[in-house]
Amino acid sequence: MSDKAWGGRFARDTDRGLAAFARSLPLDRRLWPYDLALSAAHVRMLAHRGILSQADADALLTGLVDLERAFAAGEVELPEEGEDIHLAIESLLFARIGEVAGRLHTGRSRNDQVATDLHLYLRDAAHRQSAALTDLLGALWERSRQALEQGVVVPGYTHTQRAQPVLLAHLWLAHFDALERDRGRLADLVRRANRSPLGAAALAGSPHPLDAVLTARLLGFDGPYDNSLDAVADRDFLVEYLSFAALCGVHLSRMADEAILWTTAEFGFAALEDDAAFGSSLMPQKKNPEAFEHVRARAGRLTGVLAGFLATLKGLPLAYNSDLQESHHALYTAADTLDGMLAAVRRLLEALVVQPERMAQAASDPLMLATDAADLLVRRGVPFRTAHRQVGELVAEAAARGVGLGELAADVVAAHAPALTPADLARLTAQGAVAARATHGGTAPARVAEALERARARLAPPPLPPPPPRAADVAHTPLPLEEVSR
Ligand code: ARG
């Protein structure tokens, strides 16, 4: 007979190659803190409902809390051939407390167990990443404040072609807003996902009088899932997290791409401090923004994880299927990748030294004031489309002569735009163009100062459900819970 936990109906053990192929322990071993907390909550509930004797419950809780201590101290060796973290913990418990360990799995299944563990892991990751995003938002906000104080003007681009001058402070706040939406998405999805699958058992619920509300509350969930099939089959929470991670990654990648452009000799808008740059093994002069390139590249990895996991889910009937074991790969890859990107961008932002003179020089390109010339004509009664054409002709004249708009001769200006004089054109400046764009959300200093104030109010992170408890906390939470919980 097989000596597996589920080996009773098997005459022979699983083929070693297939067992290795199916094993999730190398991935899901990181779930130990959540699986122990979940197990402690389950034991408290079983005893509370009289399904377990208090003596057995105490023995199990002592074992679980001791195992938690041993894991944290790095003393635990997981069985090399273990199938997954759930069975591994059960066998470790047998080794510590003996046969009473066999009562732990009453009324639960690895199906509701793994789903609950993943929810708890996600909540932990959300706390960490919301804090990392908050830190990054604070840094972007401070950069914006400084740039506004210094009045730094930079060319704004469309199609990577110089378009109109903008305040550098405005640009930093644009990145701030995108990342702040990401942080909000993370909080939204975690709040929506804060339901406990525990109690669904394999798929149908349990004949034991379980209290799923109690286990949910012990673990900091808002309550249990309403449907046992959905509880074990649902991975929406994970898809939402992967979507958040992919989009946040895309935003970080766009920032990185901008920084890469800025550090080229062609732009020269920023320099990287030495300790944030990399060299070439062949070309002695090179100073490469490689960490920014890795940020850009890893957004591709995050996008791929999302697409891959959706593809895994699309063919699955209810309820649990082993395909769902891909959850581990998807979740940990996304969480680890995003952790690394957030930390790297935070560091890179510090190391990115902007060059305000180069920015100002580029922003003073007179061709970027063409829209302002057209708008001046509009204020003098010329229809915009006519004004656009007239100024376009002036731009062509200036380009042909290799001069700025303000340097065109009076007869040339009069021939194309009779309502304009060379003096009008010479008076246009980048600072003036910036100040003129005073509509809501525009780049005028007064508007950016207001936006900065509004952003200050959004620096603090949105509330999240509580971080997952430790098994030791769960073991000692006074019951009944109604009297102590919210
Ligand atoms: N290791 C599995 C997973 O990660 C746990 C659930 C397994 N259930 C089962 N009947 N094989 O999804």
Side-chain angles (χ1 to χ4, degrees), residues 67-209:
L67 206 46
E68 182 175 64
R69 185 205 50 75
F71 264 109
E75 293 167 12
V76 174
E77 285 233 1
L78 287 167
E80 190 97 327
E81 310 246 289
E83 188 173 318
D84 58 26
I85 187 65
H86 322 295
L87 293 177
I89 283 179
E90 200 178 294
S91 73
L92 288 166
L93 212 53
F94 265 101
R96 278 169 190 255
I97 62 172
E99 287 307 308
V100 64
R103 298 194 182 274
L104 174 60
H105 211 55
T106 312
R108 75 175 191 186
S109 154
R110 285 181 292 158
N111 299 351
D112 60 345
Q113 215 178 329
V114 70
T116 308
D117 284 353
L118 291 170
H119 276 79
L120 292 170
Y121 180 93
L122 177 64
R123 233 160 64 198
D124 226 358
H127 274 273
R128 193 173 65 243
Q129 296 187 336
S130 181
L133 277 165
T134 298
D135 190 43
L136 189 54
L137 289 170
L140 283 167
W141 190 89
E142 185 51 33
R143 284 231 138 181
S144 175
R145 193 196 61 74
Q146 280 170 16
L148 182 64
E149 202 173 271
Q150 294 160 6
V152 183
V153 178
V154 65
Y157 291 82
T158 62
H159 314 277
T160 328
Q161 303 287 323
R162 284 179 185 169
Q164 292 173 352
V166 296
L167 287 184
L168 178 60
H170 197 47
L171 183 146
W172 289 129
L173 279 186
H175 291 305
F176 177 102
D177 284 352
L179 290 174
E180 199 243 342
R181 285 193 297 275
D182 290 332
R183 191 183 56 175
R185 267 185 278 271
L186 177 61
D188 284 351
L189 80 92
V190 173
R191 285 197 290 257
R192 184 165 36 255
N194 202 36
R195 297 257 148 210
S196 171
L198 203 60
L203 76 165
S206 171
H208 301 290

Side-chain angles (χ1 to χ4, degrees), residues 24 28 83-84 86 110-111 114 235 320 322 324-325 328:
S24 63
D28 65 18
E83 188 173 318
D84 58 26
H86 322 295
R110 285 181 292 158
N111 299 351
V114 70
R235 292 295 183 273
Y320 181 84
S322 286
L324 292 178
Q325 192 164 288
H328 301 294

